């Protein structure tokens, strides 16, 4: 079983690197999409891979009758959508692997010279593991990454819409907003960070109300 997993993982890595190389050579982003799709297909058919695999399997199986534990609205709606489309558990695990990885890879879409290094680091340094472990947090991170470019362009509405989507999949998105604001404080004009600071104050106030 261990040998089989190693062979599948190694073959997947080679396939993704070849697709990334072709995407870089031809400057055709569709090959990167195929690389992420190959990753999602393999991880859709996984069983028992990931610390929280059985927890998410149980959540998917019971979402129609009532979850045994609290879960963010966005993730619940995703599970319900997969059920209503009749696509099953394999598609659920595949789509939860595809979306966050695609969103992170998409950050490098305009940098074809980085396609191969990004895939190599992602696979060879096992950065794929969170997609199999902390699924909702990875979803939130993927949407959070999409909010960074609008922030740099000071497109506040787009930025906060992405943050909202991230929050609907995991509440840790608010923490990421504050980390981003703190990291940019020294290099971005303070006036441009006023919306971020307002979010930080609102998050703190909400936290105090929940404690009281």
């Amino acid at each position: 079983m261990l040998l089989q997993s190693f062979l599948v993982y190694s073959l997947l890595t080679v396939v993704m690197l070849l697709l990334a190389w072709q995407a870089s050579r031809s400057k055709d982003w569709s090959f990167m999409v195929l690389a992420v799709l190959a990753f999602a297909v393999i991880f859709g058919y996984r069983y028992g891979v990931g610390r929280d695999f059985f927890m998410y399997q149980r959540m998917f199986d019971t979402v129609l009758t009532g979850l045994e534990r609290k879960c963010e609205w966005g993730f619940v709606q995703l599970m319900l959508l997969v059920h209503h489309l009749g696509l099953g558990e394999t598609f659920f695990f595949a789509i939860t692997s595809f979306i966050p990885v695609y969103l992170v890879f998409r950050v490098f879409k305009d940098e074809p010279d980085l396609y191969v290094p990004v895939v190599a680091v992602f696979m060879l340094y096992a950065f794929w593991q969170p997609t199999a472990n902390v699924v909702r947090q990875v979803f939130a991170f993927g949407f959070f990454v999409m909010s960074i470019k609008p922030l740099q362009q000071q497109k506040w509405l787009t930025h906060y819409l992405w943050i909202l989507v991230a929050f609907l999949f995991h509440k840790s998105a608010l923490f990421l907003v504050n980390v981003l604001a703190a990291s940019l404080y020294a290099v971005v004009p303070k006036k441009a960070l006023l919306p971020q600071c307002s979010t930080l104050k609102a998050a703190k106030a909400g936290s105090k109300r929940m404690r009281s």
Side-chain angles (χ1 to χ4, degrees):
M1 186 68 175
L2 184 61
L3 177 61
Q4 183 182 14
S5 298
F6 174 77
L7 291 174
V8 170
Y9 171 74
S10 300
L11 180 60
L12 174 61
T13 302
V14 170
V15 169
M16 290 182 68
L17 285 172
L18 288 174
L19 288 169
W21 173 80
Q22 179 62 26
S24 178
R25 188 179 69 86
S26 63
K27 294 181 173 53
D28 187 347
W29 174 250
S30 62
F31 287 102
M32 285 295 286
V33 177
L34 289 175
V36 181
L37 186 61
F39 174 83
V41 169
I42 295 299
F43 273 70
Y45 280 98
R46 74 183 187 270
Y47 182 80
V49 176
R51 182 185 61 201
D52 295 334
F53 174 86
F54 293 107
M55 180 191 78
Y56 282 108
Q57 184 185 52
R58 177 70 177 166
M59 288 172 64
F60 181 76
D61 291 340
T62 60
V63 68
L64 292 178
T65 57
L67 293 173
E68 300 170 352
R69 56 181 296 161
K70 290 183 178 179
C71 182
E72 286 79 5
W73 183 86
F75 201 75
V76 171
Q77 298 309 307
L78 176 63
M79 292 189 290
L80 290 173
L81 177 63
V82 174
H83 269 292
H84 290 319
L85 293 175
L87 296 172
E89 179 183 297
T90 298
F91 183 85
F92 167 68
F93 282 112
I95 199 66
T96 54
S97 298
F98 179 87
I99 292 177
V101 175
Y102 173 79
L103 292 176
V104 173
F105 279 17
R106 195 179 184 281
V107 173
F108 305 95
K109 183 177 180 180
D110 297 329
E111 303 289 342
D113 292 340
L114 295 179
Y115 291 171
V116 173
V118 166
V119 171
V121 169
F122 178 73
M123 294 301 291
L124 299 178
Y125 285 85
F127 283 111
W128 52 267
Q129 287 187 345
T131 63
N133 291 304
V134 285
V135 177
R136 298 189 335 271
Q137 291 91 326
V138 171
F139 249 84
F141 180 74
F143 290 119
F144 171 78
V145 166
M146 294 298 295
S147 77
I148 295 176
K149 188 173 182 178
L151 173 62
Q152 294 171 332
Q153 299 170 339
Q154 296 189 26
K155 295 180 179 179
W156 300 114
L157 179 59
T158 305
H159 169 68
Y160 279 101
L161 283 175
W162 280 117
I163 294 296
L164 175 61
V165 175
F167 180 76
L168 292 176
F169 282 88
H170 202 271
K171 296 179 179 66
S172 61
L174 283 182
F175 172 75
L176 292 173
V177 171
N178 300 326
V179 170
L180 179 62
S183 65
L184 292 177
Y185 189 80
V187 295
V188 176
K190 293 179 182 179
K191 289 183 179 180
L193 287 176
L194 285 176
Q196 294 283 348
C197 295
S198 300
T199 301
L200 175 59
K201 292 178 181 178
K204 287 183 177 178
S207 178
K208 288 180 181 179
R209 285 197 295 269
M210 290 177 66
R211 291 196 190 103
S212 61

